[in-house]
Amino acid sequence: MSTLLQSPIEFLKGVGPLRGEMLRKEMHFQAFGDLLSHYPFRYIDRSVIHKIRELNPLTQYIQLKGRITGFRQVSTGKQKRLMATFRDDTGEVDLIWFQSIDFILKTLKVNVEMLVFGKPTLFNGEYNIAHPEVEIFTDELKTSGKGLQPVYSSTEKMKKKNLDSRGLTRLMHTLVGQMKEWDVEEFLPKHILQQFKLISRYEALVNIHFPKNESLLHEATRRLKFEELFLIQLQVLKVKSNRGEISKGFVFEKIDNHFDKFYHHQLKFELTGAQKRVLKEIRRDTLSGKQMNRLLQGDVGSGKTVVALLTMLMGIDNGFQACMMAPTEILANQHYESILEALRGMGLEVALLTGSIKGKARKFILENLAEGKIDILIGTHALIEDSVVFKNIGMVVIDEQHRFGVAQRAALWTKNEKPPHILVMTATPIPRTLAMTIYGDLDVSVIDELPPGRKPIRTVHRTDSDRLRVFGFMHEEITKGRQIYVVYPLIEESETLDLKHLMDGYESISRAFPKPKFQISIVHGRMKSVDKDYEMQRFVRCETQIMIATTVIEVGVNIPNASVMVIENAERFGLSQLHQLRGRVGRGAEQSFCILITGPKLSNDSKQRISVMCKTNDGFVIAEEDLKLRGPGDLEGTQQSGVVNLRLADLVHDGNILEAARTTAQNLIESDPMLSRAEHQPLLKYVSEIRKEKIWAKIS
Ligand code: ADP
Ligand code: MG
């Protein structure tokens, strides 16, 4: 980086120590370069000059050309203000200033042709523009025009210190004016610039802030988006290729013992084509001599668990231990029980380790684990703790990855001298573009087929006033022998309020479904995990017909007899969460239902979400919709990854650029893995500089 862009921010003309401090605190700007990468979030088109006649109640911002015909100061009441009458050949409008009145009077002349830009408001039937931008219509302006003006985000505190969008524009103007070509180093190699016809970095930076015209703005944006996505892809792919080289993996040659026994004798159903395909992919990985790092995506109910189990058996057949980590105790318990059941009579040792297993029981497990007497360990985060030592772990399965950070994933690799194979499973279908960014370092398998015989879940929307009807329906289903979930939202900030809703709901349901004929389970986050388990188990054993819960049941719980999912306050859930919740039903042969209950009034976004849910059961369609509605930053599991804090690129619309960036990065790593060729030196230097910054630390 050049010295200009490295200069401390307070040295920029117009900044100084005080504002410098403010920019550091509020925006984390340390140097000129940080300011430069604060891109506008939109532009105002000032290339068009309008007429006063065109003002209408919908006008947002407008640029006018005309003359001030006179000033008048109004000082009645508390509000002292300066007004100017501004005319063009179609009418007149008032300009108003509440501050800097003396300054305005000194600088603005009557009867000089000028450009006025601002936001009109309608007051007593007349338009006026408060604190407009005014400038003399010089010859230079006549020829070049004002073009597109940047609009920058800033904070309340900054606005008070005149560092609003306009203030930042002034600073940016100073900086860009000072900047020469050589201050901005081009780090993309020529062959890439040529291949994608990208403009230089210098040109792009100048034009992203002060675009000379639409087409240059487009080129600048394209170049900077490409660079942003390319750098991320370079990083993730580098991690991947390094791992491939460094991490020799175990070879699982044999599958002729437990795997075969289970597959041919123990398994109660035929695997779906998709499950078989994924197993083949895993088999290939575990024979390759490299460490497997595979992401298994499969919609809720697609049967990931059995794939995980078979994968663990591959490891066991080759003399290794395996473990499976789940995000909640409930889920870990459930995996434990179902795997225990599935493996019954096979002589394998399966153990459960969660936070609530303490003292002697825990000690016993840890000892057996270290001695290699446990074949499969199932548990929660507790598995990551240092005290958990395996004799020789060969296969690690992580269920519902989006609940775990990248760091936690990494913590499990280090449990062995040679890293175990890793299978990460997620039921949150992630749009391809996002998967490539967040999980770019993993190979991806997809189960895109549900086990046969599943009937699509019927989803309907009901409002509070339909509650009696809903209760009636619940009655019918329970009479048929089905079980029902009723779920309430849980949002941390208002936990107490949510708990109240849940308890109110519990009361009204208890009244409608009285004991002893009906039994109700209740599970929420404030309960001790033993109590949660107890309630859950009652529901699993079909001793209760209704399960009232907060979203703790969202992930993974599998009770095929439950066929109705009622979601209260459905408008408060995100799309992917609704989909996850709905996935708790529809697991048996019966027709299942999902009832989304909302208040009578819905925002447009909520309406959209509910309607998507009623229309489709396809997790990938839902994920795409979610991405469109919320943007990637809000998608579950993306925050902790850090990679989606993109400055410019947008994973919804820039799929093409992302593909290009990824292919380019891939080719580059293949042809020059160490970036040692002369033409790649600037890139190497740039990458190692930014790696020190936090966004890179997060993903590497
Ligand atoms: P998820 O992918 O959501 O984790 P599970 O692994 O819990 O799904 O599987 C859901 C249910 O489907 C389980 O009851 C499981 O036994 C059953 N299942 C899985 N694969 C098949 C299959 N090929 N045929 C029939 N049932 C299956
Ligand atoms: Mg599951």
Side-chain angles (χ1 to χ4, degrees):
M1 237 180 270
S2 80
T3 43
L4 178 78
L5 296 187
Q6 282 168 332
S7 315
I9 190 73
E10 58 271 23
F11 294 159
L12 185 69
K13 192 164 159 277
V15 178
L18 277 180
R19 289 173 142 200
E21 185 65 21
M22 164 93 40
L23 289 171
R24 277 174 202 272
K25 270 217 189 101
E26 295 288 302
M27 308 296 287
H28 306 286
F29 291 170
Q30 308 293 339
F32 289 15
D34 298 323
L35 175 66
L36 192 65
S37 27
H38 185 55
Y39 303 140
F41 69 92
R42 67 185 179 91
Y43 301 83
I44 296 173
D45 188 355
R46 290 198 58 182
S47 58
V48 191
I49 297 173
H50 293 272
K51 296 289 185 191
I52 291 176
R53 187 183 51 208
E54 295 171 45
L55 282 171
N56 68 62
L58 294 176
T59 311
Q60 278 287 327
Y61 283 90
I62 193 161
Q63 174 164 255
L64 301 166
K65 187 180 70 168
R67 294 160 198 273
I68 290 177
T69 54
F71 287 101
R72 53 191 193 281
Q73 287 201 59
V74 186
S75 52
T76 48
K78 27 189 167 116
Q79 256 181 348
K80 189 172 151 185
R81 58 190 189 273
L82 173 69
M83 321 231 339
T85 310
F86 181 79
R87 297 189 60 96
D88 68 5
D89 50 7
T90 69
E92 62 178 54
V93 58
D94 277 335
L95 309 180
I96 304 182
W97 291 268
F98 298 99
Q99 285 147 21
S100 324
I101 293 178
D102 296 340
F103 176 76
I104 298 290
L105 279 173
K106 233 185 286 166
T107 46
L108 291 188
K109 300 265 174 322
V110 179
N111 246 332
V112 175
E113 188 161 63
M114 48 183 73
L115 279 183
V116 160
F117 178 79
K119 199 182 163 121
T121 41
L122 195 54
F123 185 73
N124 283 345
E126 307 271 340
Y127 287 100
N128 63 58
I129 302 177
H131 288 267
E133 280 178 44
V134 183
E135 64 200 294
I136 294 176
F137 194 56
T138 55
D139 286 344
E140 194 201 333
L141 262 184
K142 272 177 211 160
T143 49
S144 66
K146 297 277 303 179
L148 296 165
Q149 290 246 306
V151 182
Y152 297 101
S153 61
S154 77
T155 66
E156 283 311 310
K157 280 188 185 158
M158 286 168 61
K159 284 175 189 154
K160 283 190 192 128
K161 292 272 177 258
N162 265 334
L163 285 174
D164 56 359
S165 175
R166 265 196 241 174
L168 286 171
T169 306
R170 272 192 291 273
L171 296 183
M172 208 65 86
H173 220 274
T174 310
L175 174 57
V176 171
Q178 240 174 300
M179 206 167 77
K180 299 282 177 301
E181 257 207 90
W182 56 80
D183 288 316
V184 182
E185 201 169 349
E186 179 58 76
F187 59 77
L188 287 182
K190 265 215 183 66
H191 59 92
I192 294 179
L193 291 176
Q194 276 163 1
Q195 186 185 352
F196 296 100
K197 301 198 169 55
L198 300 172
I199 60 175
S200 76
R201 192 165 152 73
Y202 170 78
E203 252 185 296
L205 286 170
V206 171
N207 280 288
I208 194 85
H209 292 292
F210 302 108
K212 298 212 180 66
N213 52 48
E214 286 277 355
S215 104
L216 268 169
L217 173 61
H218 176 77
E219 288 309 315
T221 315
R222 195 169 68 89
R223 146 82 210 216
L224 294 171
K225 282 178 175 176
F226 181 92
E227 135 185 348
E228 181 168 45
L229 295 169
F230 172 75
L231 289 170
I232 290 176
Q233 289 304 318
L234 199 61
Q235 182 76 358
V236 269
L237 293 172
K238 191 95 183 87
V239 170
K240 183 172 169 178
S241 89
N242 280 350
R243 203 167 43 213
E245 271 154 36
I246 302 163
S247 312
K248 295 262 178 292
F250 300 119
V251 178
F252 293 170
E253 264 168 15
K254 295 174 283 200
I255 51 165
D256 54 353
N257 189 2
H258 298 98
F259 182 96
D260 273 356
K261 244 188 251 163
F262 181 79
Y263 192 88
H264 294 296
H265 305 296
Q266 206 100 351
L267 193 57
K268 295 195 187 79
F269 42 75
E270 169 88 17
L271 293 184
T272 62
Q275 284 170 322
K276 286 182 189 161
R277 188 186 65 232
V278 171
L279 274 171
K280 274 193 201 127
E281 287 165 349
I282 292 170
R283 179 92 183 106
R284 211 182 313 129
D285 285 354
T286 53
L287 281 170
S288 74
K290 286 185 185 166
Q291 183 208 15
M292 172 174 83
N293 271 279
R294 188 165 281 282
L295 173 72
L296 173 54
Q297 281 197 52
D299 211 343
V300 278
S302 60
K304 294 183 292 296
T305 318
V306 67
V307 172
L309 179 55
L310 281 159
T311 304
M312 292 195 285
L313 293 178
M314 291 180 196
I316 292 169
D317 275 351
N318 290 275
F320 293 97
Q321 292 168 297
C323 77
M324 181 158 171
M325 184 160 79
T328 64
E329 293 214 3
I330 292 180
L331 197 55
N333 270 322
Q334 187 165 1
H335 279 319
Y336 174 66
E337 309 252 315
S338 68
I339 287 177
L340 213 53
E341 171 68 27
L343 296 179
R344 190 195 304 216
M346 290 188 56
L348 287 171
E349 209 49 59
V350 183
L352 174 73
L353 187 68
T354 63
S356 48
I357 294 171
K358 297 196 175 96
K360 267 198 195 136
R362 183 182 153 89
K363 195 161 164 258
F364 181 77
I365 291 173
L366 292 184
E367 277 169 12
N368 279 297
L369 191 67
E371 287 168 22
K373 287 183 191 152
I374 291 173
D375 299 300
I376 297 180
L377 181 65
I378 292 165
T380 52
H381 295 78
L383 300 194
I384 306 175
E385 287 164 26
D386 288 340
S387 55
V388 179
V389 181
F390 293 85
K391 180 154 186 257
N392 61 345
I393 176 89
M395 173 60 74
V396 170
V397 178
I398 306 179
D399 196 13
E400 310 293 350
Q401 154 76 9
H402 63 285
R403 294 296 174 99
F404 293 105
V406 178
Q408 288 165 316
R409 173 151 52 99
L412 277 169
W413 303 344
T414 53
K415 292 239 169 232
N416 238 25
E417 219 167 289
K418 207 164 166 184
H421 295 299
I422 311 263
L423 181 68
V424 170
M425 307 197 293
T426 175
T428 309
I430 301 161
R432 215 180 117 65
T433 48
L434 201 55
M436 269 161 64
T437 342
I438 308 179
Y439 297 121
D441 64 322
L442 303 179
D443 295 311
V444 179
S445 293
V446 181
I447 304 187
D448 49 7
E449 185 184 350
L450 291 180
R454 295 270 171 83
K455 297 200 178 83
I457 302 161
R458 262 189 234 153
T459 304
V460 293
H461 176 205
R462 295 283 179 264
T463 58
D464 292 323
S465 53
D466 303 320
R467 197 167 307 265
L468 282 182
R469 248 172 84 202
V470 173
F471 280 176
F473 177 72
M474 288 164 63
H475 253 274
E476 280 172 29
E477 287 297 299
I478 292 175
T479 313
K480 287 188 207 153
R482 305 286 112 72
Q483 287 167 289
I484 295 174
Y485 295 101
V486 183
V487 178
Y488 290 80
L490 185 70
I491 292 174
E492 271 167 34
E493 303 95 71
S494 57
E495 215 179 310
T496 341
L497 198 66
D498 284 328
L499 198 61
K500 189 178 167 302
H501 280 157
L502 180 88
M503 290 329 252
D504 289 351
Y506 176 66
E507 260 173 42
S508 83
I509 292 173
S510 305
R511 255 178 275 127
F513 299 87
K515 282 180 191 171
K517 186 166 175 223
F518 300 98
Q519 296 291 329
I520 300 173
S521 288
I522 181 164
V523 173
H524 59 79
R526 289 273 180 91
M527 288 163 67
K528 284 203 198 111
S529 64
V530 275
D531 299 333
K532 271 192 244 174
D533 269 0
Y534 174 77
E535 290 287 313
M536 200 73 208
Q537 286 312 322
R538 291 207 308 148
F539 192 63
V540 172
R541 287 194 298 262
C542 212
E543 292 165 14
T544 60
Q545 296 88 38
I546 300 176
M547 158 67 78
I548 297 180
T550 54
T551 44
V552 287
I553 62 143
E554 180 192 337
V555 191
V557 178
N558 184 29
I559 298 162
N561 190 49
S563 65
V564 181
M565 167 63 68
V566 179
I567 304 178
E568 292 279 354
N569 293 114
E571 68 271 30
R572 282 174 57 188
F573 291 95
L575 256 183
S576 69
Q577 216 179 3
L578 287 173
H579 180 64
Q580 288 284 312
L581 284 170
R582 177 170 60 184
R584 298 309 107 214
V585 298
R587 297 179 158 240
E590 308 303 330
Q591 175 63 53
S592 289
F593 302 87
C594 174
I595 303 173
L596 306 170
I597 301 187
T598 69
K601 273 199 181 149
L602 289 180
S603 71
N604 279 342
D605 263 18
S606 312
K607 257 187 223 150
Q608 178 77 16
R609 284 200 297 272
I610 304 280
S611 111
V612 170
M613 285 297 293
C614 294
K615 261 196 300 236
T616 181
N617 272 302
D618 184 329
F620 280 91
V621 173
I622 288 172
E624 296 283 352
E625 286 294 327
D626 204 18
L627 186 63
K628 278 186 216 152
L629 277 172
R630 297 206 287 171
D634 287 327
L635 281 196
E636 222 175 315
T638 56
Q639 281 99 340
Q640 76 260 51
S641 70
V643 289
V644 286
N645 297 330
L646 297 172
R647 279 184 202 282
L648 216 51
D650 157 357
L651 297 176
V652 182
H653 300 108
D654 298 327
N656 288 341
I657 303 182
L658 177 59
E659 299 268 357
R662 182 164 174 100
T663 320
T664 311
Q666 203 140 24
N667 292 341
L668 190 71
I669 287 179
E670 268 163 31
S671 70
D672 184 13
M674 303 312 291
L675 299 181
S676 50
R677 292 218 299 262
E679 57 181 333
H680 297 150
Q681 288 317 293
L683 179 60
L684 180 66
K685 191 168 145 243
Y686 192 82
V687 169
S688 46
E689 267 166 23
I690 51 176
R691 197 172 281 153
K692 293 172 204 146
E693 287 178 29
K694 54 178 186 307
I695 179 165
W696 293 93
K698 272 192 212 150
I699 55 167
S700 51

